[in-house]
Amino acid sequence: RGERDRRMPKKGGKKKAKEPAFLTSAADTEPFGCNVNDLIVTPMGIQVTVIGVKKSEYDIYNQLDGTLWATFPGGFNSPLRAKSAEEFEVQGYRRAHEGIHILRDKEVFEVKRQELLDAHNPILQEAQKKAKAEKKEAKGAKKKKK
């Protein structure tokens, strides 16, 4: 019985520390000359979306502004290495034209609006249920043939 009461130590050791969250206030992004959700055009001509600032322990200790992060097309996040608005201009980064921001916001609005309309449309909901039922019947018929 004594052997059964002993437990093996947990495997895996210490857990990896979570990465610090992005700081998204206007005061945090102000040193870089942009705000969260701004579209920035990189020197290569790629449009990226600002997601916030990450500050490491080194940045906090030395009272530095941190590193600006952006989402690239394809969904991956990456830091932008410039440390100030002046460096951004020198390195070739620039804020996208205001018209592009408006078009992006309009597209987001239209998608959300359509989702809300579809969610409250009883005719559309019935059609979706019928389509699901037909798919299930088709799958059931294929399995019976085999």
Side-chain angles (χ1 to χ4, degrees):
R1 189 166 198 214
E3 292 178 22
R4 289 185 201 164
D5 291 338
R6 288 190 226 159
R7 299 193 182 225
M8 295 292 294
K10 290 184 179 180
K11 292 184 180 180
K14 296 180 181 178
K15 290 186 177 181
K16 190 176 180 181
K18 289 185 179 179
E19 292 185 19
F22 292 108
L23 304 173
T24 58
S25 70
D28 293 320
T29 57
E30 182 182 3
F32 301 100
C34 61
N35 292 314
V36 173
N37 290 330
D38 275 357
L39 294 173
I40 303 288
V41 180
T42 65
M44 301 280 293
I46 300 170
Q47 280 188 3
V48 299
T49 305
V50 175
I51 56 176
V53 175
K54 271 191 182 179
K55 289 188 178 185
S56 67
E57 290 180 20
Y58 177 81
D59 293 335
I60 294 168
Y61 181 76
N62 292 311
Q63 298 178 347
L64 298 175
D65 295 325
T67 305
L68 189 69
W69 282 66
T71 300
F72 280 73
F76 67 93
N77 300 335
S78 179
L80 303 177
R81 295 292 177 199
K83 296 291 183 184
S84 68
E86 293 80 26
E87 280 186 42
F88 266 95
E89 289 180 23
V90 169
Q91 291 180 8
Y93 291 94
R94 60 183 169 79
R95 187 174 188 273
H97 189 271
E98 193 63 33
I100 295 172
H101 285 84
I102 293 169
L103 287 175
R104 185 229 14 221
D105 293 341
K106 181 181 180 271
E107 288 173 5
V108 169
F109 172 79
E110 288 296 327
V111 168
K112 289 184 180 179
R113 178 180 174 271
Q114 191 61 45
E115 287 173 357
L116 286 172
L117 290 174
D118 292 345
H120 296 291
N121 186 346
I123 297 170
L124 182 64
Q125 289 174 352
E126 285 181 30
Q128 289 173 344
K129 286 179 184 178
K130 285 181 183 178
K132 283 183 181 180
E134 290 174 3
K135 281 186 179 180
K136 284 184 180 180
E137 289 176 13
K139 284 184 180 180
K142 287 182 182 178
K143 286 182 181 179
K144 287 181 182 178
K145 287 182 182 179
K146 290 184 180 181

